[in-house]
Amino acid sequence: MQEHVRYTQEKFLAGKVLLYGPVMAPEGAFGMAVFAVADEAEVREVLENDPTVLGGLNTFEVCPMRVGAAQGFGLAEKQ
């Protein structure tokens, strides 16, 4: 899991991941991330190379999303 965190943080710092973390669902926790990528193939490439996916510990599901609006930390600084 330490390699997973390092890998995800690397993608975050590169601007490929906008936010990530565990979702504490009543049925059991799972991870979620929002990606900023050109297409589904790019996000699949990132996820398929995650160390926990390669090691058989985690699986993933891709659900495309259209952003209606967004706000967050640091957005005003980037404008």
Side-chain angles (χ1 to χ4, degrees):
M1 283 305 290
Q2 290 177 347
E3 286 299 309
H4 166 70
V5 172
R6 182 199 58 76
Y7 180 79
T8 306
Q9 180 67 12
E10 179 184 288
K11 300 305 176 191
F12 177 79
L13 293 173
K16 297 289 181 185
V17 176
L18 299 178
L19 63 95
Y20 67 94
V23 176
M24 308 313 255
E27 307 81 35
F30 61 92
M32 189 199 94
V34 175
F35 291 84
V37 294
D39 54 29
E40 189 172 322
E42 186 176 359
V43 75
R44 287 189 177 281
E45 180 182 339
V46 170
L47 293 169
E48 288 167 355
N49 288 294
D50 183 297
T52 59
V53 173
L54 291 171
L57 182 62
N58 284 331
T59 60
F60 64 87
E61 182 178 335
V62 175
C63 299
M65 176 185 161
R66 288 198 176 117
V67 177
Q71 59 183 338
F73 300 110
L75 289 179
E77 296 170 6
K78 292 181 181 180
Q79 294 178 2

